[in-house]
């Protein structure tokens, strides 16, 4: 970036934001601000996710998004101002904590006030002795063990608390949700209670703008996911726009945050991934909707992780880096297969026959644990040799992928299996979903099994037409029918 011909700053990474202070560069106007974005389409050491490194899309990779694809703004702030807020909560102690970043070292009080429905429920202050200060706020009423759950954030009751942070002449409005995430006894826990994740894979692409979206697009996307009956979404190979995460917070939609992959392994790929993933986790850690982090997917960028020690060590390092940045959420070390240290065991399986899926997953607990210790449906080990199964939850985090399209694009498009008609599509989707639902914890009182699943995918995306919705976000079956299938309320068995 140049202001009036003078270089004022730079940033590397196409998925995370940055800010520049232009104060010392301003004089009498007018001013000319020049931005240059460089994006080498053939650089496989660049975190790129589903963006193709070929000139034209092929297989499961899509057109590239280049240039500026998220909002940019200019604002005037006080010399001493808040640069960031990281919210955490302690449900057992009834407190919320704000880790507040400041623009400079300061010997000033930082005040935090939290309210619910207009009534202040907590306020505290702390003296800043540097450029960062931590303020812990006791919340009124949260020490009542019989009543504390009324303010907790969860699907069906996504309570958001209003917050204000002030220092000197600067005041910032914010919000937070009180909730905890964890795992125990093979189950995924939200606020110390088991929940089975009904997830959908979202590519986050739009027909004319690829990764970029309007405020309306992002709001409607979150609403459609909820209307379809899903309680969770895996945003695939994309650090999603914070405006989508806001709507997920608002709707009580659980989100898996994922890092876009590189496609080669090198010092440059490692450095870029670590730097940008660190920025992504730090930026999004305050969203209550995000319940899981996924730094790697299907060994992309570490294709020889099973045989190369350096690639395996890198994957382990990403797991531990993520836990260091945010110890409050589960981390999936390498979603789909070849998992090392991981808080969840996750499997990708595009078998199209529901009976075969039931034979694999609707089995006794001992058989399921033995299965995840061996070779998976992809022909790769689900867990790397030497890993120990500590009873972590098992999830089927990619499955389905039924193609159905009737337009001229159908001939060149693809899916993992194909339906011949709307009726056949209904039958195939239902057959696959029922098998996985039957293998899930809680089905007809089942106490063990799959702790969650993720259907592929939400929408048709360019050449991949295996969405429940078209690329224009139109349902392929009536919404009420799709919702019944997702919720397991299918009366056409």
């Amino acid at each position: 970036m140049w202001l009036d011909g003078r270089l004022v700053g730079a940033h590397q990474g196409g998925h995370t934001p940055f800010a520049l202070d232009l104060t010392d560069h301003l004089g009498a106007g007018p001013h000319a601000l020049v931005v240059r974005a460089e994006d080498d389409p053939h650089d496989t050491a660049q975190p790129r996710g589903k963006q193709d490194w070929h000139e034209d899309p092929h297989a499961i990779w899509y057109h590239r998004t280049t240039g500026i694809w998220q909002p940019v703004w200019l604002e005037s702030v006080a010399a001493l101002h808040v640069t960031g807020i990281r919210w955490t909560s302690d449900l057992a102690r009834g407190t919320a904590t704000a880790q507040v970043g400041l623009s400079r070292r300061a010997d000033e009080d930082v005040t935090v006030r939290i309210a619910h429905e207009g009534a202040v429920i907590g306020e505290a202050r702390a003296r800043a002795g540097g450029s960062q200060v931590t303020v812990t706020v006791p919340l009124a009423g949260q020490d009542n063990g019989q009543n504390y759950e009324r303010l907790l954030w969860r699907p069906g009751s996504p309570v958001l608390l209003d917050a204000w942070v002030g220092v000197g002449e600067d005041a910032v409005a914010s919000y937070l949700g009180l909730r905890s995430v964890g795992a125990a006894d093979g189950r995924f826990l939200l606020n110390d209670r088991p929940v089975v994740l009904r997830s959908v894979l979202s590519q986050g692409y739009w027909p004319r703008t690829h990764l970029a979206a309007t405020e309306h697009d992002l709001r409607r996307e979150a609403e459609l996911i909820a209307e379809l009956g899903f309680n969770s979404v895996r945003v695939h190979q994309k650090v999603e726009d914070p405006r989508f995460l806001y709507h997920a917070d608002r709707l009580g939609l659980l989100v898996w945050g994922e890092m876009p992959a590189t496609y080669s392994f090198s010092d440059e790929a490692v450095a870029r991934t670590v730097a940008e993933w660190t920025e992504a986790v730090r930026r999004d850690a305050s969203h209550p909707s995000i319940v899981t982090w996924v730094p790697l997917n299907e060994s992309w960028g570490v294709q020889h992780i099973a045989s190369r020690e350096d690639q395996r060590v890198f994957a382990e390092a990403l797991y531990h880096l993520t836990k260091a940045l945010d110890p409050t959420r589960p981390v999936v070390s390498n979603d789909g297969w070849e998992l090392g240290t991981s808080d969840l065991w996750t499997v990708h399986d595009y078998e199209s026959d529901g009976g075969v899926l039931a034979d694999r997953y609707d089995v006794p607990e001992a058989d399921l644990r033995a299965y995840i210790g061996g070779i998976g449906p992809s022909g790769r080990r689900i867990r790397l040799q030497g890993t120990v199964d500590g009873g972590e939850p098992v999830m089927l985090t990619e499955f389905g992928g039924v193609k159905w399209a009737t337009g001229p694009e159908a001939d060149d498009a693809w899916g993992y299996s194909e339906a011949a008609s709307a009726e056949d599509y209904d039958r195939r989707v239902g057959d696959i979903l029922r098998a996985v639902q039957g293998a899930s914890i809680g089905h007809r009182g089942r106490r063990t099994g799959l702790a969650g699943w993720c259907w592929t995918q939400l929408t048709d995306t360019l050449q991949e037409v295996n969405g429940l919705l078209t690329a224009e976000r139109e349902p392929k079956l009536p919404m009420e029918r799709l919702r019944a299938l997702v919720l397991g309320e299918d009366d056409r068995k």
Side-chain angles (χ1 to χ4, degrees), residues 200-202 221 225 228 230 455-460 467-469:
V200 67
L201 191 79
S202 171
E221 194 87 330
I225 293 168
L228 284 166
F230 296 104
W455 177 269
T456 302
Q457 61 185 345
L458 179 64
T459 69
D460 290 350
L468 297 173
L469 311 175

Side-chain angles (χ1 to χ4, degrees), residues 4-153:
D4 300 331
R6 298 176 60 191
L7 183 68
V8 292
H11 175 260
Q12 186 173 105
H15 307 276
T16 50
F18 66 101
L20 295 175
D21 184 350
L22 301 179
T23 306
D24 294 339
H25 301 278
L26 296 174
H31 298 285
L33 183 67
V34 175
V35 179
R36 178 173 182 260
E38 180 178 317
D39 186 4
D40 181 353
H42 304 294
D43 184 357
T44 57
Q46 172 182 306
R48 60 191 317 113
K50 295 295 287 286
Q51 300 179 86
D52 210 319
W53 63 96
H54 290 177
E55 292 299 326
D56 298 310
H58 79 291
I60 62 170
W61 289 278
Y62 311 136
H63 272 304
R64 295 176 298 279
T65 300
T66 58
I68 299 170
W69 64 282
Q70 289 192 20
V72 179
W73 67 93
L74 181 70
E75 62 180 332
S76 176
V77 294
L80 174 61
H81 60 271
V82 174
T83 58
I85 308 168
R86 165 73 184 277
W87 293 104
T88 54
S89 54
D90 188 329
L91 305 189
R93 289 179 170 80
T95 62
T97 296
Q99 184 176 301
V100 182
L102 303 176
S103 58
R104 60 174 170 80
R105 295 182 62 86
D107 186 21
E108 297 271 358
D109 281 345
V110 174
T111 303
V112 176
R113 187 170 78 256
I114 298 174
H116 177 238
E117 296 181 342
V120 175
I121 60 174
E123 186 169 357
R125 69 181 59 197
R127 194 76 171 176
S131 60
Q132 191 172 88
V133 61
T134 299
V135 185
T136 297
V137 184
L139 302 175
Q142 291 306 98
D143 58 350
N144 182 343
Q146 300 303 108
N147 197 42
Y148 81 100
E149 291 187 356
R150 67 189 176 89
L151 290 187
L152 299 190
W153 185 97

Side-chain angles (χ1 to χ4, degrees), residues 386-417:
T387 58
V388 177
D389 178 16
E392 289 81 3
V394 179
M395 296 192 184
L396 190 58
T397 50
E398 284 189 31
F399 74 108
V402 181
K403 169 187 174 180
W404 184 51
T406 57
E409 75 282 0
D411 292 340
D412 297 324
W414 72 279
Y416 292 92
S417 64

